[in-house]
C-alpha cells in the first residue's frame, strides 16, 4: 500500500523524546534543532492544521539544573528533578513557539487522566479549547506526582493515548532511528526499512527492540505498542528520525520513515466505542424538535430534554430517546444525573442562573453523540 502524505492530515500530534531534545553531555536543550522543529510546526499551523506536542525532557532538564550525577534515580528523586525541569521545559516551548506568534499551553497528565472517563473528558475539553484558540498544547506525563503504579513509563504510549483522546488523525514519533527495520540495523548491515505496516502482526512485534539511550524510557517495542493504541483508535502513526534538522519537513518531502496505517478514522472509532462498547447508565427523553436537530448533526441542548432517568455521572454513556420512546442515539453526558434533572428543558441563560456558573452549553456534545438511522 502506498504511503500517505503529511499534507493529508488535519490534526497532528508530534512526540519529542528526551534523547532528541536534551544534549546528554551538556545537559542543555538542543536549541538550534528545537528552533528548526518549531519552524516546521509553525508552517503546519499556518496551513490551518492543529498541532499538538507530547514532549519529554523534564527529568533530564531537572537533573542538569540540579547538577545531579549520572545514573538511575530513585522515584522521589525523579519526581523532584521533574518539578525543577518542568518549569524549564514549559519556558523553552513557550519561547520557541512564541517566536512564531503561537501560544503554548502546558498540560500535565497521568495514566488515570486517560483511563478514568471524567478526567479523560476534562483533559479532552482542555485540549479542544486550546486548539480552538489556535494555541499548541504541550503535553507531558506528570512525573512530579506519578508513581510507578500509575505511570505510562514512556511517552510513546502517552502520545498514542493523547492522539486518540484529541481525535488526531496522525501521530508522529520522532526517534533516534528513521523507522522500523526487519532486523536491528546496528547489528545487521543488510537490515531493511519497513516503509508501511498495514496491520501489526506477530511478525512485526517480533522485530521490535528495546531502548538504548539513558535518557529514553521507550524503545522500538514501546513504539509498536503505541502504534497498536493509535491505529485501534483511528489514528495513523509514523516513526521518523528526529536527529536531522527540520524532521517534519523531511517527512513532507517524502523522507524515510515507517507508516502504521489504520483502516478507521478518529471520529468513527470513537463513535463505535460509544455506540457499542459502553454500558448506558441512564436515559434522556427529548422532544421532537431536539430529535430533528440531532439528526441534522447538532448537539443536544438542555432545552430539548424532557425527562431524565438513571444514576449517572459526567462522562457516562446514556441512551437518548424521542418522545415516542424510540431510541435516537447514545452519547456521553456532560452533567451528573442530579444536575441534568435540574437543567432539563431550560435555556442556556437559565442553565447559567441555576448552576451559578457558565457551564457547558450542551447536555451531550455532537462529538460525543452517536445518532441512529
Amino acid at each position: 500500500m502506498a504511503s500517505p502524505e503529511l499534507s493529508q492530515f488535519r490534526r497532528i500530534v508530534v512526540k519529542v523524546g528526551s534523547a532528541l531534545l536534551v544534549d546528554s553531555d551538556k545537559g542543555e536543550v538542543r536549541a538550534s534543532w528545537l528552533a528548526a522543529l518549531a519552524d516546521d510546526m509553525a508552517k503546519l499551523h499556518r496551513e490551518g492544521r492543529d498541532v499538538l506536542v507530547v514532549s519529554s525532557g523534564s527529568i533530564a532538564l531537572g537533573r542538569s539544573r540540579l547538577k545531579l550525577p549520572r545514573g538511575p534515580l530513585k522515584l522521589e528523586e525523579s519526581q523532584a528533578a521533574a518539578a525543577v525541569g518542568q518549569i524549564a521545559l514549559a519556558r523553552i516551548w513557550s519561547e520557541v513557539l512564541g517566536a512564531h506568534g503561537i501560544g503554548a499551553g502546558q498540560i500535565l497528565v497521568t495514566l488515570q487522566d486517560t483511563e478514568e472517563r471524567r478526567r479523560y473528558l476534562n483533559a479532552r475539553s482542555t485540549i479542544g479549547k486550546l486548539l480552538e484558540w489556535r494555541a499548541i498544547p504541550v503535553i507531558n506525563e506528570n512525573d512530579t506526582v506519578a508513581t510507578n503504579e500509575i505511570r505510562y513509563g514512556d511517552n510513546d504510549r502517552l502520545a498514542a493515548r493523547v492522539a486518540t483522546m484529541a481525535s488526531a488523525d496522525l501521530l508522529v514519533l520522532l526517534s533516534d532511528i528513521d523507522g522500523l527495520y526487519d532486523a536491528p540495523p546496528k547489528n545487521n548491515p543488510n537490515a531493511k526499512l519497513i516503509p508501511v505496516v498495514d496491520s501489526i502482526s506477530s511478525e512485526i512485534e517480533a522485530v521490535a527492540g528495546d531502548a538504548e539511550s539513558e535518557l529514553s524510557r521507550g524503545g522500538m517495542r514501546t513504539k509498536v505498542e503505541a502504534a497498536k493504541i493509535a491505529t485501534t483508535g483511528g489514528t495513523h502513526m509514523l516513526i521518523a528520525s528526529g536527529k536531522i534538522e527540520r524532521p517534519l519537513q523531511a517527512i513532507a518531502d517524502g523522507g524515510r520513515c515507517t507508516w502504521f496505517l489504520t483502516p478507521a478514522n478518529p471520529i468513527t472509532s470513537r463513535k463505535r466505542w460509544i455506540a457499542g462498547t459502553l454500558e448506558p447508565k441512564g436515559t434522556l427523553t427529548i422532544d421532537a424538535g431536539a430529535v430533528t436537530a440531532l439528526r441534522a448533526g447538532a448537539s443536544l441542548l438542555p432545552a430539548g430534554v424532557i425527562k431524565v432517568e438513571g444514576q449517572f455521572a459526567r462522562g457516562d454513556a446514556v441512551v437518548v430517546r424521542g418522545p415516542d420512546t424510540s431510541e435516537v442515539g447514545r452519547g456521553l453526558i456532560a452533567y451528573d444525573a442530579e444536575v441534568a434533572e435540574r437543567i432539563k428543558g431550560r435555556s442556556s441563560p437559565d442553565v447559567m442562573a441555576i448552576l451559578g456558573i457558565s457551564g457547558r452549553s450542551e447536555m451531550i456534545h455532537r462529538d460525543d453523540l452517536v445518532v441512529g438511522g
Side-chain angles (χ1 to χ4, degrees):
M1 185 178 293
S3 302
E5 296 181 1
L6 197 62
S7 59
Q8 297 174 226
F9 300 97
R10 62 172 186 84
R11 180 168 292 180
I12 302 169
V13 176
V14 181
K15 182 264 181 177
V16 181
S18 296
L20 295 175
L21 191 68
V22 180
D23 184 318
S24 59
D25 293 328
K26 298 179 181 178
E28 293 294 335
V29 167
R30 292 186 168 95
S32 62
W33 177 86
L34 184 58
L37 176 62
D39 289 343
D40 284 355
M41 292 179 177
K43 182 176 184 292
L44 294 172
H45 192 269
R46 287 193 300 271
E47 292 170 352
R49 305 180 200 287
D50 294 334
V51 180
L52 302 87
V53 178
V54 173
S55 175
S56 305
S58 61
I59 295 176
L61 287 172
R63 293 183 71 133
S64 172
R65 299 295 192 271
L66 294 166
K67 296 180 169 54
L68 300 179
R70 286 179 174 269
L73 297 175
K74 297 177 182 178
L75 176 61
E76 63 271 19
E77 292 172 337
S78 294
Q79 291 173 325
V84 173
Q86 198 59 250
I87 294 174
L89 187 65
R91 177 181 60 79
I92 289 161
W93 278 108
S94 179
E95 288 177 353
V96 297
L97 293 173
H100 296 275
I102 302 171
Q106 184 188 52
I107 301 177
L108 300 177
V109 298
T110 64
L111 178 64
Q112 291 173 329
D113 293 317
T114 56
E115 297 294 326
E116 185 179 309
R117 197 171 302 136
R118 181 183 292 251
R119 291 163 69 167
Y120 168 97
L121 289 175
N122 285 335
R124 177 180 165 87
S125 296
T126 300
I127 290 170
K129 184 56 67 175
L130 285 170
L131 294 175
E132 181 184 324
W133 288 342
R134 300 301 292 152
I136 291 183
V138 179
I139 302 156
N140 193 4
E141 184 164 16
N142 193 350
D143 289 310
T144 60
V145 300
T147 64
N148 287 332
E149 291 76 21
I150 62 168
R151 71 181 306 118
Y152 288 91
D154 68 86
N155 273 7
D156 294 325
R157 282 174 289 198
L158 170 61
R161 292 289 187 192
V162 167
T164 57
M165 179 167 61
S167 295
D169 45 9
L170 177 63
L171 167 61
V172 177
L173 298 186
L174 296 180
S175 177
D176 54 3
I177 191 170
D178 55 7
L180 178 66
Y181 284 76
D182 61 3
K186 285 190 175 182
N187 303 330
N188 187 342
N190 297 317
K192 295 180 180 178
L193 180 76
I194 303 172
V196 178
V197 176
D198 295 322
S199 62
I200 301 171
S201 63
S202 57
E203 289 79 13
I204 291 297
E205 292 181 291
V207 300
D210 293 317
E212 297 179 0
S213 166
E214 176 187 298
L215 292 179
S216 175
R217 290 199 297 244
M220 194 56 69
R221 186 177 302 280
T222 67
K223 288 173 174 54
V224 171
E225 290 173 0
K228 284 185 186 177
I229 296 169
T231 56
T232 299
T235 300
H236 292 285
M237 193 189 95
L238 69 84
I239 301 170
S241 174
K243 286 188 169 182
I244 59 176
E245 293 248 327
R246 307 291 300 270
L248 297 180
Q249 185 60 50
I251 294 167
D253 292 340
R256 288 168 65 84
C257 62
T258 296
W259 288 88
F260 293 82
L261 305 183
T262 176
N265 66 61
I267 300 301
T268 57
S269 293
R270 176 175 169 77
K271 296 207 170 186
R272 189 182 303 118
W273 171 66
I274 293 171
T277 306
L278 300 178
E279 179 185 353
K281 298 295 179 63
T283 301
L284 303 182
T285 302
I286 62 176
D287 61 30
V291 172
T292 301
L294 296 193
R295 295 199 187 285
S299 298
L300 176 61
L301 303 179
V305 179
I306 56 180
K307 187 177 182 181
V308 175
E309 299 173 279
Q311 291 298 318
F312 51 81
R314 176 175 179 250
D316 282 340
V318 296
V319 175
V320 180
R321 298 188 180 279
D324 61 354
T325 73
S326 63
E327 182 171 328
V328 176
R330 299 185 178 206
L332 305 182
I333 189 78
Y335 290 98
D336 294 344
E338 180 183 354
V339 178
E341 179 65 36
R342 290 170 58 197
I343 65 175
K344 70 180 183 186
R346 310 304 280 274
S347 65
S348 296
D350 287 344
V351 170
M352 189 183 304
I354 292 168
L355 300 181
I357 57 172
S358 56
R360 296 167 178 81
S361 58
E362 307 91 359
M363 190 80 87
I364 303 177
H365 192 278
R366 63 184 180 183
D367 289 346
D368 298 325
L369 181 68
V370 181
V371 178

